[in-house]
């Protein structure tokens, strides 16, 4: 059983990846696969919903940052819904909270 | 465990192949089983056939022997009987002839007459031809009237003559009388007359008259001769008969009638009566001969069957001699008769038995030979001739050793002698050779044959090629099945055994151990290192009852030539039988040669270890047990085993190489020794993930950037592996060069950021770095520092207080415009600053993070410790917390200012 569960939701041109569990070197592969599927559908907005994510490390960051860079280049955008403190912290320490689009909850999108 | 990317596919391919092979082996085994069953059935059937044949031939041998034995007995008896008969007949004939000669020569008169008890002659039956000569009267006078004779006798002697004749009849005894007779010319002759009564002839007597006027001896001789005749006849158990050819009335001896089944003499007998006793099938022949002899005057001699008075069929022999009187007219025949039934029966029995033997001999299901102790074949039946390809009579006279290959080698002569001695048959195996030179296996039953002369050897040879073939097939099928089972079991064990090892030494040793003693008495697993210049070996061998395993290394030029050859060619090599010159070719030095000799190397095979398309070593399997010598089939099993070992060993090599590379790289990436900085006490800990197989992304550095200015770096490349390592070296070396000229930490990090963005290849490479400069200042130190996305350092004051210092910055390598700010702190003697990576704070246990609080706690509890103590303690707390579970890399760098402040 993977320690990361991903649920993909699509609505009105917005693809949401709901993450639950831990996003680290072991599980990023799974996220990468889901993400590439979503990206291939040419949605304009990709949402990483991290409200139920317990942990993210540098490898998880990498994926999100790379998705963001790619989206900007392609004219779309990436939104990250923040969740637990452990996860928020990481974005804060790297000042990515200033670079990525972070929201408190999904309604704000 | 991670293996370099490109080999995954090859590995999977190897695994698939092996799985297919295993399936094949299972299938083979099923086929083997059913073939074995078939062979077993065939063998059982062949065995039953063989038993039947064996029984039949044993029966034959028994009956042949019985017949032979019986025949021999019969022949013995026959020979005796024949001898006696011949003797008797010969003598009887001789006596007759002699008597006739005498009669002829001596002018003796033989007569026969019917005489009354008073001695009067009533009638003459027979008178010899000399009567005319001697007495001058024509023969016919005697037959005309019987009284004639008495009148010729001198009157003074008549009483005496009558008395003699009469008492001969009355008493049945022989009487001799001398008297005078008046000859025709008026002269007087003295006659001596020997009168015999004819046995049970009524008043019949027989007499012999001799003129004895001076010829006495002649009579004696004659008497003797007659006597001998009688005796001879008795001895030969023959009967005597005398036949009147005109009346066909016959007189005969008692024995004669007995031959025809009458104990008591019959009153009358005639030729016709005789014929009635003759077997109807023989009558014509007998009568015909009778006629012929009368016409030709030749003897009437024949053998025929009679039906005796008691009904029994008998065989008789008879001889009749014609007596010619009166100008050649046959008037009488007299002769002998004898019962030859026993002999005839014996002859028949022998004939029948011979017939029977002949039949069995010729029609036996086996090839049958009769030969002597010298091996010369005297008889051979049709099958023998056929099976060996010799036509007609060729076999007779040949020696058995020309036919049977093993005669001399297997001591057949001894066997023959023994069989002749005991008479007990013996069964041996042999090989027969045909005329054309081809051979076939046989089973030979050897017995004693008793025919004429010395006993000889009777040999029955059964072609057992079929049975042998069935036996061989069965053996081969059993052997194949056994080998298949063993093979599968062994390979299964090998797979399991090799799967669990990662380190090369362990895998080498395990592979070598698995092979001994199942498939080898000595096994060397040899793997190339260092570009082919070095061999790493595991050697397993039997020592006493145990298997010993040793690990060794040797340079390539010390490897045996055959091993190097196999590595070069990539082809296995098999040597089924090793001799001395071969040993010398293998041995690399004297000691090695001694060891090989001591081991008693008999056969060996060298199989290449191959993976990902290349030969990277060999496995040498060696045997010193000739009964387990390797052959082409063994090579298949050894090859399967080596395939599995190849996979495991290749993985181990890769693992080792990775680890080695990682260590080397890591060492090159990190300062092996932290430089001595006057006034500072420095300690560092780096704990890369996974025991060095992966190269961590964490790094630290400490160097003198310019005079009096020491740069300190701690960073985390977000990732693992060689690419990450490359980024860490980029980071370190970029900072080292930038720091020389750039004294402001934030600007140095900006330069690094730009360099990283520029160097960005396929993969985005981000990192977090904390960079600082330490300078001496007023008895203490100052630290200027900036963070690019990295956790902030913690200061431990000498009073034990701890605080996090600095401001967060953007992580590096992503954005062109990172926000990075500088901070500055003063460090008094006894103060320490602790730098770390997020592997520390993000260490997890059951969902809980180690976190900053624990870091601060741990550090604060180290007030007063030296730098090493602080680092150790934090590391310990970290280990304790995560319980050894693998998390992220973690790096800790502690810089403490020497000296004390206040507290001693």
């Amino acid at each position: 059983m993977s320690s990361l569960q991903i649920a993909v939701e699509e609505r009105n041109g917005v693809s949401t990846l709901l993450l639950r569990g831990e996003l680290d070197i072991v599980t990023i592969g799974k996220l990468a696969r889901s993400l590439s599927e979503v990206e291939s559908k040419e949605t304009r907005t990709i949402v990483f919903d991290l409200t139920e994510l317990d942990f993210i490390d540098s490898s998880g960051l990498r994926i999100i940052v790379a998705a963001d860079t790619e989206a900007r280049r392609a004219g779309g955008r990436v939104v990250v819904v923040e969740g637990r403190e452990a996860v928020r912290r990481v974005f804060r320490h790297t000042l990515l909270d200033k670079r990525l689009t972070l929201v408190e909850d999904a309604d704000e999108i | 465990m991670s293996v370099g990317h490109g080999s995954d596919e090859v590995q999977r391919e190897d695994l698939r192949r092996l799985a297919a092979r295993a399936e094949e082996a299972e299938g083979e085994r099923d086929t083997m089983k059913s073939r074995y069953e078939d062979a077993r059935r065939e063998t059982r059937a062949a065995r039953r056939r063989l038993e039947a044949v064996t029984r039949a031939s044993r029966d034959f041998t028994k009956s042949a022997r019985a017949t032979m034995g019986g025949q021999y007995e019969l022949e013995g008896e026959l020979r005796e009987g024949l001898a006696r008969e011949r003797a008797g007949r010969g003598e009887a004939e001789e006596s007759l002839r002699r008597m006739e000669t005498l009669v002829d020569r001596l002018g003796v008169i033989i007569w026969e007459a019917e005489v009354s008890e008073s001695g009067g002659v009533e009638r003459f039956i027979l008178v010899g031809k000399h009567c005319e000569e001697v007495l001058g009267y024509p023969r016919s006078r005697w037959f005309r009237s019987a009284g004639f004779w008495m009148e010729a006798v001198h009157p003074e002697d008549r009483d005496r003559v009558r008395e003699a004749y009469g008492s001969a009849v009355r008493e049945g005894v022989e009487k001799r009388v001398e008297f005078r007779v008046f000859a025709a010319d008026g002269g007087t002759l003295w006659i001596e007359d020997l009168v015999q009564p004819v046995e049970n002839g009524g008043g019949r007597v027989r007499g012999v008259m001799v003129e004895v006027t001076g010829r006495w001896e002649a009579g004696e001789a004659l008497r003797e001769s007659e006597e001998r005749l009688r005796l001879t006849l008795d001895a030969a158990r023959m009967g005597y008969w005398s036949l009147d050819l005109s009346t066909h009335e016959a007189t005969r001896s008692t024995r004669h009638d007995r031959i025809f089944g009458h104990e008591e003499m019959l009153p009358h007998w005639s030729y016709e009566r005789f014929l009635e006793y003759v077997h109807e099938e023989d009558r014509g022949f007998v009568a015909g001969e009778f006629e012929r002899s009368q016409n030709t005057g030749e003897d009437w001699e024949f053998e025929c069957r009679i039906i005796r008075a008691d009904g029994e069929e008998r065989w008789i022999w008879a001889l009749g001699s014609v007596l010619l009187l009166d100008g050649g007219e046959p008037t009488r025949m007299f002769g002998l008769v004898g019962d030859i039934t026993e002999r005839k029966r014996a002859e028949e029995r022998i004939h029948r038995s011979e017939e029977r033997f002949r039949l069995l001999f010729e029609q036996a299901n086996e090839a049958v030979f009769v030969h002597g102790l010298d091996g010369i074949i005297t008889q051979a039946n049709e099958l023998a001739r056929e099976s060996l390809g010799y036509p007609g009579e060729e076999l007779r006279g040949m020696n058995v050793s020309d036919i049977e290959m093993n005669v001399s080698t297997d001591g057949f002569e001894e066997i023959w002698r023994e069989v002749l001695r005991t008479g007990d048959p013996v069964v041996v195996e042999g090989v027969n050779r045909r005329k054309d030179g081809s051979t076939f296996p046989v089973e030979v039953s050897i017995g004693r044959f008793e025919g004429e002369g010395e006993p000889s050897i009777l040999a029955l040879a059964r072609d057992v090629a079929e049975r042998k073939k069935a036996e061989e097939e069965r053996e081969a099928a059993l052997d194949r099945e056994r080998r298949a089972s063993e093979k599968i079991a062994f390979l299964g064990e090998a797979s399991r055994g090799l799967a669990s090892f990662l380190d090369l030494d362990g895998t080498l040793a395990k592979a070598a151990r698995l092979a001994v003693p199942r498939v080898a008495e000595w096994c060397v697993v040899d793997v190339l290192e260092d570009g082919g210049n070095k061999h790493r070996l595991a050697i397993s061998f039997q020592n006493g009852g145990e298997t010993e395993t040793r690990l060794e290394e040797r340079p390539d030029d010390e490897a045996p030539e055959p091993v190097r050859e196999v590595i070069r060619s990539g082809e296995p090599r098999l040597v089924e039988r090793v001799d001395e010159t071969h040993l010398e070719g293998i041995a690399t030095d004297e000691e090695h040669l001694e060891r090989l000799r001591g081991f008693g190397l008999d056969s060996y095979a060298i199989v290449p270890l191959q993976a990902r398309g290349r030969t990277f070593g060999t496995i040498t399997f060696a045997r010193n047990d000739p009964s387990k010598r390797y052959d082409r089939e063994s090579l298949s099993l050894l090859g399967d085993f080596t395939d599995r070992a190849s996979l495991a060993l290749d993985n181990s090599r890769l693992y080792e190489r990775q680890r080695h590379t990682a260590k080397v790289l890591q060492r090159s990436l990190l300062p092996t020794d932290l430089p001595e900085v006057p006034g500072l006490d420095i300690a560092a800990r780096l704990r890369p993930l996974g025991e060095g197989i992966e190269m961590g992304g964490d790094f630290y550095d400490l160097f003198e950037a310019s005079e009096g200015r020491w740069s300190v770096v701690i960073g985390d490349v977000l990732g693992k592996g060689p690419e990450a390592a490359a980024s860490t070296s980029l980071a370190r070396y970029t900072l080292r060069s930038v720091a020389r000229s750039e004294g402001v930490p934030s600007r140095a990090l900006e330069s690094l950021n730009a360099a990283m963005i520029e160097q960005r290849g396929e993969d985005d490479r981000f990192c977090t770095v904390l960079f600082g400069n330490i300078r001496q200042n007023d008895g203490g130190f100052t630290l200027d520092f900036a963070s690019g996305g990295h956790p902030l350092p913690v200061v431990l004051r000498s009073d034990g207080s701890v605080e996090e210092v600095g401001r967060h910055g953007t992580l590096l390598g992503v954005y062109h415009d990172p926000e990075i700010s500088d901070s500055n702190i003063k460090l008094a003697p006894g103060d320490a600053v602790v730098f770390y990576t997020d592997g520390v704070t993000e260490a997890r246990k059951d969902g809980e993070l180690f976190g900053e609080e624990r870091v601060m706690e741990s550090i604060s509890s180290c007030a007063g410790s030296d730098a090493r103590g602080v680092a150790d303690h934090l590391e310990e707390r970290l280990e304790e917390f995560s319980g050894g579970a693998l998390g992220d890399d973690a790096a800790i760098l502690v810089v403490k200012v020497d000296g004390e402040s206040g507290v001693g």
Side-chain angles (χ1 to χ4, degrees):
Chain A
M1 230 240 325
S2 174
S3 43
L4 176 71
Q5 286 101 55
I6 307 172
V8 180
E9 217 180 71
E10 281 166 41
R11 202 168 23 147
N12 305 330
V14 175
S15 299
T16 304
L17 293 131
L18 265 153
L19 305 183
R20 182 184 302 154
E22 296 168 357
L23 181 58
D24 57 18
I25 183 108
V26 177
T27 57
I28 45 165
K30 193 168 180 182
L31 178 58
R33 279 191 293 277
S34 297
L35 182 61
S36 70
E37 263 180 51
V38 166
E39 278 173 345
S40 67
K41 292 198 175 89
E42 291 178 20
T43 49
R44 300 221 57 224
T45 305
I46 298 177
V47 178
F48 290 92
D49 190 330
L50 308 182
T51 44
E52 298 194 33
L53 192 65
D54 295 322
F55 176 84
I56 185 168
D57 69 3
S58 49
S59 43
L61 268 187
R62 260 189 65 208
I63 281 200
I64 295 175
V65 168
D68 181 78
T69 312
E70 181 56 37
R72 279 175 213 270
R73 212 178 40 76
R77 65 182 184 130
V78 163
V79 178
V80 178
V81 182
E82 288 189 298
R84 317 233 157 111
E85 177 55 31
V87 174
R88 278 178 205 267
R89 205 170 60 96
V90 174
F91 288 103
R92 253 203 326 274
H93 288 185
T94 54
L95 289 197
L96 282 176
D97 55 352
K98 299 222 173 106
R99 301 285 172 162
L100 300 172
T101 315
L102 264 64
V103 299
E104 283 293 327
D105 64 68
D107 302 334
E108 291 177 38
I109 299 166
Chain B
M1 176 188 81
S2 158
V3 177
H5 292 304
S7 56
D8 275 354
E9 192 47 51
V10 179
Q11 290 240 321
R12 274 197 282 281
E13 188 50 44
D14 285 343
L15 280 169
R16 272 200 285 276
R17 263 194 297 118
L18 285 170
R21 288 276 270 288
E23 258 183 57
E24 241 176 63
E26 286 288 338
E28 246 183 52
R29 178 165 157 181
D30 288 336
T31 315
M32 264 347 121
K33 262 185 133 167
S34 68
R35 271 168 71 176
Y36 166 60
E37 285 303 316
D38 289 342
R40 263 230 307 234
R41 262 197 298 279
E42 268 176 42
T43 308
R44 258 185 263 130
R47 205 186 297 139
R48 278 199 290 273
R49 276 201 298 280
L50 179 64
E51 279 165 13
V53 169
T54 308
R55 251 181 282 123
S57 81
R58 246 188 262 129
D59 291 345
F60 160 66
T61 311
K62 245 200 307 190
S63 67
R65 241 187 294 129
T67 306
M68 285 301 97
Q71 179 174 343
Y72 189 62
E73 276 168 28
L74 288 172
E75 286 203 319
E77 272 183 34
L78 171 68
R79 252 179 277 132
E80 280 175 31
L82 268 174
R84 276 200 304 274
E85 199 182 288
R86 257 184 248 123
R89 213 197 299 181
E91 277 188 39
E93 276 178 22
E94 215 208 72
S95 293
L96 253 178
R97 297 286 170 253
R98 217 178 310 142
M99 200 173 79
E100 278 184 324
T101 313
L102 269 174
V103 167
D104 240 301
R105 227 181 327 122
L106 302 175
V108 159
I109 306 167
I110 302 174
W111 61 271
E112 241 181 78
E114 278 173 299
V115 168
S116 68
E117 283 194 1
S118 59
V121 178
E122 287 159 11
R123 185 170 75 93
F124 275 97
I125 300 162
L126 176 145
V127 177
K129 62 186 176 189
H130 288 293
C131 61
E132 285 185 7
E133 262 175 49
V134 176
L135 297 170
Y137 299 106
R139 240 213 258 160
S140 50
R141 284 293 293 281
W142 302 85
F143 299 107
R144 238 183 291 142
S145 77
F148 154 79
W149 177 239
M150 277 308 170
E151 282 167 24
V153 172
H154 196 284
E156 284 170 17
D157 301 328
R158 283 183 200 156
D159 286 343
R160 237 197 343 207
V161 170
R162 274 201 217 103
E163 175 58 319
Y165 289 0
S167 68
V169 172
R170 277 194 315 273
E171 292 158 22
V173 295
E174 199 183 64
K175 283 282 188 223
R176 188 165 356 140
V177 62
E178 286 175 59
F179 55 90
R180 284 158 292 180
V181 166
F182 296 121
D185 64 356
T188 306
L189 300 168
W190 270 99
I191 296 291
E192 188 179 300
D193 198 359
L194 194 66
V195 186
Q196 263 183 346
V198 175
E199 285 172 353
N200 285 31
R204 183 129 1 132
V205 297
R206 190 191 308 129
V208 177
M209 283 190 285
V210 174
E211 196 212 340
V212 291
T213 329
R215 285 192 273 189
W216 190 249
E217 323 78 56
E220 279 293 322
L222 190 59
R223 209 176 21 257
E224 271 174 43
S225 176
E226 271 238 349
E227 185 63 28
R228 227 184 351 265
L229 175 63
R230 190 165 65 80
L231 288 171
T232 314
L233 290 180
D234 268 344
R237 294 188 226 138
M238 292 192 181
Y240 169 85
W241 53 273
S242 164
L243 179 68
D244 183 325
L245 289 173
S246 44
T247 63
H248 283 180
E249 290 286 315
T251 57
R252 61 255 171 254
S253 63
T254 331
R255 187 160 294 270
H256 171 282
D257 282 17
R258 263 196 228 128
I259 285 171
F260 288 88
H262 300 279
E263 278 306 307
E264 301 282 316
M265 285 288 288
L266 293 179
H268 295 288
W269 189 267
S270 67
Y271 170 69
E272 280 70 31
R273 168 160 280 177
F274 161 68
L275 274 184
E276 279 168 27
Y277 286 83
V278 174
H279 195 289
E280 59 184 10
E281 285 170 20
D282 298 343
R283 238 173 257 159
F285 163 71
V286 169
E289 287 296 293
F290 185 65
E291 285 297 315
R292 196 177 62 79
S293 83
Q294 283 190 78
N295 294 336
T296 60
E298 279 173 15
D299 285 343
W300 181 42
E301 189 179 353
F302 61 91
E303 289 179 8
C304 73
R305 286 165 293 173
I306 59 166
I307 309 296
R308 219 161 53 171
D310 62 4
E312 196 180 317
E313 188 182 295
R314 310 289 293 179
W315 273 90
I316 60 165
W317 165 82
L319 170 67
S321 202
V322 177
L323 199 64
L324 297 167
L325 294 173
D326 257 345
E329 280 282 315
T331 52
R332 220 164 171 90
M333 194 189 268
F334 62 94
L336 308 169
V337 67
D339 183 317
I340 55 164
T341 312
E342 288 315 312
R343 173 174 60 91
K344 261 308 203 228
R345 291 222 177 110
E347 267 179 15
E348 221 170 279
R349 262 204 297 279
I350 286 174
H351 184 74
R352 265 203 308 274
S353 158
E354 244 200 38
E355 267 308 302
R356 201 167 47 238
F357 173 69
R358 272 292 128 203
L359 208 71
L360 282 171
F361 188 72
E362 280 305 324
Q363 296 188 354
N365 281 336
E366 292 91 354
V368 187
F369 303 85
V370 179
H371 64 81
L373 204 56
D374 56 6
I376 305 287
I377 297 173
T378 53
Q379 296 194 56
N381 73 347
E382 179 164 345
L383 195 59
R385 295 195 288 276
E386 239 179 67
S387 68
L388 292 171
Y390 286 94
E393 289 299 302
E394 258 189 70
L395 275 178
R396 279 222 213 154
M398 284 179 66
N399 197 306
V400 160
S401 55
D402 295 331
I403 308 244
E404 170 56 61
M405 309 277 303
N406 296 340
V407 163
S408 42
T409 55
D410 289 4
F412 271 39
E413 247 194 73
E414 275 310 300
I415 297 172
W416 297 337
R417 260 190 261 272
E418 188 63 22
V419 167
L420 285 176
R421 197 175 62 78
T422 63
D424 295 331
V426 157
V427 177
V428 300
E429 299 216 340
V431 177
N432 277 6
R433 187 189 27 231
R434 297 195 186 87
K435 185 169 186 181
D436 66 11
S438 58
T439 62
F440 56 97
V442 290
E443 206 178 72
V444 186
S445 305
I446 299 180
R448 189 168 67 188
F449 176 82
E450 283 159 52
E452 276 183 61
E454 288 288 304
S456 25
I457 296 292
L458 179 72
L460 276 72
R462 249 180 314 284
D463 184 336
V464 294
E466 208 188 281
R467 183 193 78 178
K468 273 230 177 305
K469 204 165 74 124
E471 267 180 13
E472 268 166 39
E473 269 186 29
R474 175 170 160 271
E475 278 306 315
L478 269 176
D479 198 49
R480 273 197 298 275
E481 214 247 335
R482 193 172 33 88
R483 286 178 101 162
S485 299
E486 279 178 5
K487 180 171 167 168
I488 290 170
F490 173 62
L491 290 175
E493 197 190 298
S495 295
R496 281 191 297 277
L498 290 169
S500 52
F501 281 85
L502 270 184
D503 79 292
L504 187 56
D505 278 348
T507 313
L508 281 169
K510 179 77 186 189
R513 250 205 311 279
L514 277 169
V516 178
R518 281 284 257 307
V519 292
E521 272 98 46
W522 183 293
C523 177
V524 178
V525 181
D526 178 334
V527 154
L528 283 172
E529 293 273 286
D530 192 20
N533 294 324
K534 199 164 68 149
H535 295 249
R536 261 168 84 172
L537 326 163
I539 306 174
S540 258
F541 53 94
Q542 288 279 72
N543 194 358
E546 308 257 306
T547 304
E548 223 184 270
T549 306
R550 277 207 316 257
L551 290 166
E552 266 179 29
E553 265 178 27
R554 66 161 90 107
D556 186 50
D557 53 22
E558 279 177 34
E561 184 52 36
V563 166
R564 293 156 86 200
E565 176 56 41
V566 168
I567 292 178
R568 272 198 297 275
S569 69
E571 290 294 317
R573 183 172 163 159
L574 168 68
V575 176
E576 293 183 48
R577 224 193 275 199
V578 172
D579 59 29
E580 184 61 32
T581 44
H582 202 106
L583 277 184
E584 284 164 21
I586 302 174
T588 50
D589 57 30
E590 268 309 304
E591 199 201 308
H592 190 195
L593 183 60
E594 271 315 300
R595 263 191 293 144
L596 290 171
R597 279 209 199 100
F599 170 65
L601 182 64
D602 179 68
S603 70
Y604 69 88
I606 306 178
V607 186
L609 287 162
Q610 292 167 323
R612 295 176 287 136
R614 277 168 45 253
T615 303
F616 65 91
T618 58
I619 303 190
T620 302
F621 303 88
R623 286 252 189 234
N624 61 2
D625 181 347
S627 70
K628 297 199 197 133
R629 198 166 276 163
Y630 294 126
D631 55 26
R632 288 238 77 83
E633 226 186 278
S634 350
L635 211 52
S636 151
L637 173 63
L638 299 178
D640 281 344
F641 172 75
T642 306
D643 278 347
R644 284 159 172 75
S646 287
L647 199 61
L649 286 164
D650 191 49
N651 287 344
S652 300
R653 280 168 84 237
L654 282 171
Y655 176 84
E656 273 218 353
R657 198 173 315 139
Q658 289 247 313
R659 202 161 58 144
H660 179 74
T661 310
K663 278 206 196 109
V664 166
L665 259 181
Q666 205 106 59
R667 256 179 268 132
S668 75
L669 292 175
L670 294 163
T672 43
D673 294 311
L674 286 169
E676 292 268 331
V677 180
L680 288 180
D681 171 22
I682 303 166
R685 294 283 175 271
L686 184 66
R687 198 182 64 149
L689 177 73
E691 308 190 2
I693 186 63
E694 293 296 349
M695 281 163 295
D698 288 6
F699 61 97
Y700 63 85
D701 206 353
L702 182 65
F703 56 92
E704 189 168 19
S706 62
E707 177 123 23
R709 176 164 65 96
W710 293 85
S711 291
V712 60
V713 182
I714 188 162
D716 176 358
V717 169
L718 310 183
K720 310 274 174 277
E723 294 83 0
S727 297
T728 65
S729 56
L730 171 66
R732 279 180 64 216
Y733 290 115
T734 303
L735 283 171
R736 273 189 180 229
S737 65
V738 162
R740 274 184 232 292
S741 50
E742 180 54 69
V744 178
S746 61
R747 289 206 208 112
L749 285 180
E750 278 159 21
S751 295
L752 176 57
N753 182 63
M756 286 197 76
I757 289 172
E758 197 190 301
Q759 294 278 354
R760 201 154 55 183
E762 286 280 313
D763 290 323
D764 293 332
R765 280 285 145 208
F766 317 143
C767 68
T768 65
V769 182
L770 190 128
F771 178 80
N773 292 317
I774 303 183
R775 294 182 186 82
Q776 262 190 319
N777 181 28
D778 283 341
F781 285 83
T782 58
L783 170 67
D784 298 304
F785 64 94
S787 166
H790 200 84
L792 300 174
V794 172
V795 174
L796 172 66
R797 301 286 176 192
S798 48
D799 63 2
S801 61
V802 288
E803 64 169 329
E804 194 181 79
V805 293
R807 283 214 293 276
H808 287 291
T810 314
L811 86 170
L812 306 176
V814 186
Y815 305 107
H816 290 276
D817 53 347
E819 284 166 52
I820 305 176
S821 40
D822 295 289
S823 304
N824 177 289
I825 55 166
K826 286 193 180 27
L827 296 168
D831 288 345
V833 61
V834 179
F835 306 91
Y836 60 91
T837 59
D838 65 6
V840 174
T841 42
E842 285 175 4
R844 272 171 289 170
K845 179 188 155 159
D846 300 331
E848 198 188 336
L849 298 177
F850 191 77
E852 272 128 19
E853 284 73 34
R854 285 201 181 84
V855 171
M856 307 270 260
E857 249 177 52
S858 165
I859 293 171
S860 77
S861 68
C862 292
S865 307
D866 60 5
R868 187 175 290 129
V870 177
D872 279 344
H873 186 70
L874 180 54
E875 197 184 19
E876 266 165 38
R877 288 292 303 276
L878 188 57
E879 297 249 303
E880 242 175 59
F881 176 80
S882 63
L886 296 171
D888 206 340
D889 317 355
I892 299 167
L893 180 64
V894 178
V895 177
K896 183 171 179 176
V897 180
D898 281 341
E900 302 152 15
S901 163
V903 185

